[in-house]
């Protein structure tokens, strides 16, 4: 996510079969890119494929999955924790009603509301791809102006979607490609009109 001309990368894993998430934070000052990346430690438990975005008031990260070792294999725990840190340095913490991992993003901010599309809530984790009913179609709006970081489902995407870029074009949200179920990619480019009350 980008905030105050700084590109910030948090969490993730070192390799595809990692047994633990990285609690690292990397920041690049976009006004001085030749200074390179600055490494730090994330104080928040951010995992892999989290939600990420920024408004003009602060930066938002959260949910996604934590990794742990179970019988020597990587196991995902889907998280509900989200964090919004304002420019004044005050972090707000909240729990989403249900987890969201790999939602189309980064989040699109309109005022103090951040939008994400689709993702995985973990309810079908470990099912073989052929038995998976498809990823989420939820369009969620997270109000970062509230201390509770309220989340609202504001619509349904035309098809299941995850791990796709999300952009705003005029009054529309647009996704390009992505997955419709684990291991199944889609070539669809899809748009959805943002409700007038958010514009």
């Amino acid at each position: 996510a980008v905030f105050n001309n700084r590109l910030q990368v948090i969490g993730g894993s070192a390799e595809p079969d990692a047994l633990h998430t990285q609690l690292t934070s990397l920041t690049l000052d976009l006004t001085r890119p030749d200074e390179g990346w600055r490494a730090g430690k994330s104080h928040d438990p951010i995992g892999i494929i989290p939600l990420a975005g920024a408004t003009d008031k602060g930066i938002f990260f959260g949910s996604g999955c934590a990794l742990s070792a179970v019988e020597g294999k990587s196991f995902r725990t889907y998280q509900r924790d989200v964090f919004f840190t304002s420019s004044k340095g005050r972090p707000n913490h909240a729990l989403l009603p249900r987890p969201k991992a790999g939602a189309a993003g980064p989040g699109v901010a309109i005022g103090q509301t951040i939008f994400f599309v689709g993702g995985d809530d973990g309810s079908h984790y470990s099912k073989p791809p052929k038995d998976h009913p498809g990823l989420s179609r939820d369009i969620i709006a997270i109000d970062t102006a509230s201390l509770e970081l309220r989340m609202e489902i504001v619509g349904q995407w035309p098809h299941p979607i995850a791990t796709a870029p999300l952009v705003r074009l005029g009054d529309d949200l647009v996704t390009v490609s992505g997955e419709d179920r684990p291991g199944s990619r889609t070539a669809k480019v899809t748009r959805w009109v943002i409700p007038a009350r958010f514009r």
Side-chain angles (χ1 to χ4, degrees):
V2 176
F3 178 64
N4 276 353
N5 291 317
R6 285 176 170 79
L7 173 61
Q8 191 165 358
V9 180
I10 295 181
S13 59
E15 57 272 324
D17 56 353
L19 301 180
H20 302 284
T21 48
Q22 297 202 324
L23 296 178
T24 55
S25 170
L26 295 171
T27 304
L28 179 66
D29 186 339
L30 298 176
T31 64
R32 300 173 181 169
D34 32 331
E35 290 184 0
W37 291 90
R38 292 178 184 242
K41 188 169 174 67
S42 172
H43 300 292
D44 304 322
I46 304 298
I48 61 169
I49 48 179
L51 305 180
T55 70
D56 61 352
K57 303 287 187 191
I59 193 162
F60 176 90
F61 281 101
S63 203
C65 303
L67 296 177
S68 57
V70 176
E71 297 179 357
K73 294 185 179 177
S74 180
F75 181 80
R76 290 183 178 184
T77 301
Y78 286 74
Q79 304 178 125
R80 294 169 49 213
D81 300 79
V82 291
F83 305 88
F84 182 76
T85 303
S86 72
S87 54
K88 297 177 181 176
R90 291 197 317 260
N92 288 344
H93 167 258
L95 294 175
L96 296 181
R98 59 182 170 273
K100 275 287 176 190
V108 170
I110 302 174
Q112 298 312 303
T113 301
I114 299 182
F115 291 84
F116 296 93
V117 173
D120 182 9
D121 66 5
S123 57
H124 302 288
Y125 177 54
S126 78
K127 278 188 179 176
K130 65 181 179 61
D131 298 329
H132 199 287
L135 295 162
S136 174
R137 296 175 52 229
D138 290 347
I139 303 163
I140 64 170
I142 298 175
D143 174 14
T144 64
S146 160
L147 290 175
E148 291 83 30
L149 296 174
R150 289 191 305 270
M151 182 183 106
E152 178 185 357
I153 297 174
V154 295
Q156 295 291 301
W157 206 246
H159 54 84
I161 191 76
T163 61
L166 177 68
V167 296
R168 181 181 183 181
L169 289 178
D171 291 334
D172 296 344
L173 294 179
V174 177
T175 59
V176 180
S177 190
E179 291 188 338
D180 52 14
R181 59 180 34 82
S184 172
R185 304 293 294 177
T186 176
K188 293 177 181 174
V189 177
T190 307
R191 64 192 329 167
W192 176 82
V193 179
I194 301 163
R197 67 187 171 104
F198 292 107
R199 293 188 247 135

